[in-house]
């Protein structure tokens, strides 16, 4: 029987079967007594050679001691229950484990640092203070809220509703960074759209051919574009067509172009008149790309502001990647914590609605009830809904009439 290593110090150990005494592996053992551990409980770690045979032998021996494998998410769940993490941080653990690009990793780490939770808790605390005024007025009905307090509560409620609304109106950036930023490739047939998709994906994801009308459906690939997760969509070439299948393809192409965050309008530099098709999607979110520059080397057909490249030779592709990455960085590289999940969005929308209702309500009881609903919605995001909080604040922060 070995002894415990000193707390938080790695010790070189022989791992032995407690019954037979047989050596099972050679490794490291660490001991983290609670509460200074990842879950807040006592945690022991064994660092082993991870082969199936070693794991099977050690697991069997631990099983005989009454230990079992953790369920999925069990460590994080225990950490949450023991107050080591709030729910947004627990979600960030899952995001960090699933992150595929630098931008996703950074976003998840920022959330794990607790900044998103802090923002929501800050709002929640402000609501509690507002609520405390009403609770007192309701508990002591003879004493009306002084009008200046009532005005301040209304102004603060409106401020908070405004802040939450601004946080919600973020263009879904945090969620998009988790799921991938939508970029659509559109343009006339045969311009080289599918060839460009293949270049950016670095594989032959889409069929290309000299026949106009090769691509009929939307073809999606997920790529890591300079650290950003991008869902790149190739679409059918835009032209008038009597073919029913092609018409459906065109409908899908246009719909995808509309919903995408950024568009690459690709045309053949040898057919400069085609560049005009880009006017269907005016604005800075459409990058105009003159393709096949390898066979139009004097660049006469490249309008100002367009990127010239060859999807065949790869010339100009690094510039396109850089331009796209800079565009994406301008939108997504911000220090403020972003909303990352539909769950948070829904709770925040409920909170904002409740605050607006509270402002419109006639009686203090109703105003208070809506504030309470808003507070509960916010509390659900971080997982810290607890009426004890409310009672504590009422008796600590509020002193009626004094
Ligand atoms: N010389 C040259 N040929 C290219 C270039 N890019 C694409 N092509 C060729 O142009 C033809 C059409 O390319 P695709 O990528 O299939 O064009 P598309 O825009 O997807 O066409 P549709 O799917 O029909 O709308 C193919 O024969 C490609 O090999 C380029 O940069 N230079
Ligand atoms: Mg195509």
């Amino acid at each position: 029987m070995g002894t415990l290593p000193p707390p938080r110090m790695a010790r070189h150990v022989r791992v032995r079967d407690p019954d037979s005494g047989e050596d099972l592996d050679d490794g490291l053992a660490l001991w983290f007594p609670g509460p200074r551990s990842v879950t807040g409980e006592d945690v022991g770690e064994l660092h082993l050679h991870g082969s199936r045979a070693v794991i099977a032998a050690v697991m069997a021996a631990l099983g005989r001691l009454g230990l079992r494998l953790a369920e999925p998410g069990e460590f994080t769940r225990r950490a949450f229950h023991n107050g080591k993490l709030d729910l947004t941080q627990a979600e960030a653990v899952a995001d960090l484990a699933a992150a595929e690009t630098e931008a996703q990793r950074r976003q998840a780490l920022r959330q794990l640092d607790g900044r998103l939770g802090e923002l929501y808790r800050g709002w929640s605390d402000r609501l509690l203070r507002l609520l405390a005024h009403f609770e007192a007025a309701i508990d002591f009905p003879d004493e009306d809220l002084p009008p200046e307090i009532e005005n301040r509560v209304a102004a603060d409620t409106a401020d908070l509703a405004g802040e939450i609304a601004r946080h919600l109106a973020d263009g879904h950036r945090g969620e998009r960074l988790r799921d991938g930023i939508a970029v659509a490739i559109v343009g006339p047939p045969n311009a080289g759209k599918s060839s460009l998709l293949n270049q950016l994906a670095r594989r032959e994801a889409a069929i290309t051919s000299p026949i106009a009308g090769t691509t009929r459906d939307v073809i999606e690939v997920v790529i890591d574009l300079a650290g950003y997760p991008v869902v790149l969509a190739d679409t059918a070439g835009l032209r008038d067509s009597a073919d029913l299948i092609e018409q459906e393809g065109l409908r899908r192409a246009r719909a995808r172009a509309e919903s995408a965050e950024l568009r690459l309008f690709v045309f053949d530099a040898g057919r400069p008149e085609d560049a005009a098709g880009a006017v269907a999607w005016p604005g800075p979110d459409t990058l105009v790309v003159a393709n096949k520059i390898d066979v139009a080397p004097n660049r006469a057909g490249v309008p100002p502001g367009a990127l010239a490249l060859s999807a065949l030779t790869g010339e100009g592709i690094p510039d396109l990647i850089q331009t796209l990455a800079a565009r994406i960085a301008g939108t997504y590289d911000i220090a403020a914590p972003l909303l990352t999940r539909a769950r948070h969005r829904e709770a925040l929308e409920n909170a904002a609605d409740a605050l607006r209702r509270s402002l419109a309500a006639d009686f203090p009881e109703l105003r208070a009830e809506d504030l309470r609903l808003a507070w509960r919605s916010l509390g659900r995001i971080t997982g810290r809904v607890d009426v004890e909080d409310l009672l504590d604040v009422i008796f600590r922060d509020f002193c009626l009439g004094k």
Side-chain angles (χ1 to χ4, degrees):
M1 203 57 177
T3 53
L4 279 177
R8 293 174 293 281
M9 300 266 281
R11 177 187 282 172
H12 181 205
V13 292
R14 297 290 282 184
V15 180
R16 275 191 207 100
D17 187 304
D19 295 334
S20 67
E22 184 194 351
D23 281 358
L24 301 178
D25 196 13
D26 184 74
L28 293 177
L30 286 113
W31 174 239
F32 300 91
R36 283 182 62 191
S37 71
V38 62
T39 61
E41 302 165 358
D42 291 346
V43 172
E45 273 183 22
L46 294 175
H47 292 233
L48 305 170
H49 295 95
S51 65
R52 282 183 205 201
V54 166
I55 291 173
V58 175
M59 286 307 300
L62 292 175
R64 269 182 271 121
L65 296 175
L67 302 181
R68 65 165 171 82
L69 278 174
E71 284 159 18
E74 188 169 354
F75 281 97
T76 313
R77 194 181 176 128
R78 289 186 184 213
F80 166 67
H81 279 303
N82 292 323
K84 288 275 170 182
L85 298 173
D86 69 26
L87 276 187
T88 66
Q89 289 172 303
E91 287 166 332
V93 173
D95 287 351
L96 198 53
E100 289 186 350
T101 68
E102 281 292 285
Q104 288 170 320
R105 181 184 62 71
R106 279 198 299 268
Q107 169 160 289
L109 206 54
R110 214 182 295 153
Q111 188 167 323
L112 186 61
D113 286 346
R115 286 215 258 150
L116 196 61
E118 259 166 46
L119 178 72
Y120 298 149
R121 270 193 302 281
W123 286 341
S124 198
D125 290 348
R126 270 162 66 187
L127 260 176
L128 272 189
R129 282 193 291 275
L130 294 180
L131 209 40
H133 293 290
F134 283 110
E135 297 289 336
I138 293 163
D139 289 348
F140 304 94
D142 297 341
E143 315 222 11
D144 275 342
L145 270 187
E148 69 273 13
I149 292 193
E150 204 160 328
N151 289 341
R152 219 187 59 217
V153 169
D156 288 353
T157 305
D159 279 353
L160 194 56
E163 278 177 49
I164 294 177
R166 277 195 296 282
H167 181 65
L168 279 167
D170 69 346
H172 294 252
R173 281 178 294 188
E175 291 138 298
R176 287 196 179 156
L177 211 47
R178 271 187 77 225
D179 300 337
I181 299 152
V183 177
I185 306 179
V186 284
N190 227 18
K193 300 181 295 300
S194 302
S195 306
L196 181 59
L197 175 101
N198 292 346
Q199 268 285 350
L200 292 171
R202 294 195 203 93
R203 64 187 172 91
E204 300 295 310
I207 299 173
T208 64
S209 90
I211 303 163
T214 300
T215 306
R216 297 234 165 160
D217 216 336
V218 176
I219 295 178
E220 265 187 7
V221 291
V222 180
I223 60 170
D224 179 339
L225 190 130
Y228 297 95
V230 164
V231 182
L232 191 63
D234 178 27
T235 62
L238 303 167
R239 66 171 173 184
D240 290 332
S241 169
D243 181 308
L244 278 180
I245 301 171
E246 191 168 1
Q247 282 175 7
E248 175 58 18
L250 291 171
R251 195 190 61 74
R252 292 182 186 195
R254 293 201 178 92
R256 183 56 70 105
E258 286 303 324
S259 66
E261 201 161 335
L262 291 170
R263 280 163 292 276
L264 300 177
F265 180 87
V266 181
F267 73 99
D268 181 339
R271 299 171 52 91
E273 65 278 12
D274 283 355
V279 298
W281 298 280
D285 296 337
T286 303
L287 303 182
V288 178
V289 175
N291 188 32
K292 309 198 185 183
I293 204 72
D294 53 307
V295 286
N298 67 7
R299 307 201 169 193
V302 181
L307 287 150
L309 55 83
S310 167
L312 194 69
T313 65
E315 182 192 351
I317 295 287
D319 284 348
L320 172 66
I321 292 175
Q322 212 181 3
T323 306
L324 264 177
R327 284 297 318 270
I328 294 171
T331 309
Y332 287 92
D333 279 5
I334 50 169
L338 286 173
L339 225 169
T340 52
R341 288 190 184 237
R343 184 181 81 80
H344 306 173
R345 182 170 293 280
E346 193 187 329
L348 288 165
E349 277 165 357
N350 288 341
D353 285 347
L355 290 179
R356 277 189 289 271
R357 277 199 311 275
S358 168
L359 284 168
D362 290 331
F363 301 103
E365 287 86 347
L366 296 179
R367 289 211 286 280
E369 181 55 23
D370 282 323
L371 289 184
R372 215 174 284 124
L373 287 175
W375 175 75
R376 257 192 223 116
S377 291
L378 288 178
R380 268 197 292 275
I381 304 180
T382 53
R384 294 266 160 87
V385 173
D386 185 353
V387 265
E388 287 305 314
D389 289 1
L390 186 54
L391 300 176
D392 285 346
V393 171
I394 289 169
F395 294 110
R396 189 189 65 219
D397 274 0
F398 196 83
C399 190
L400 191 74
K402 307 254 171 27

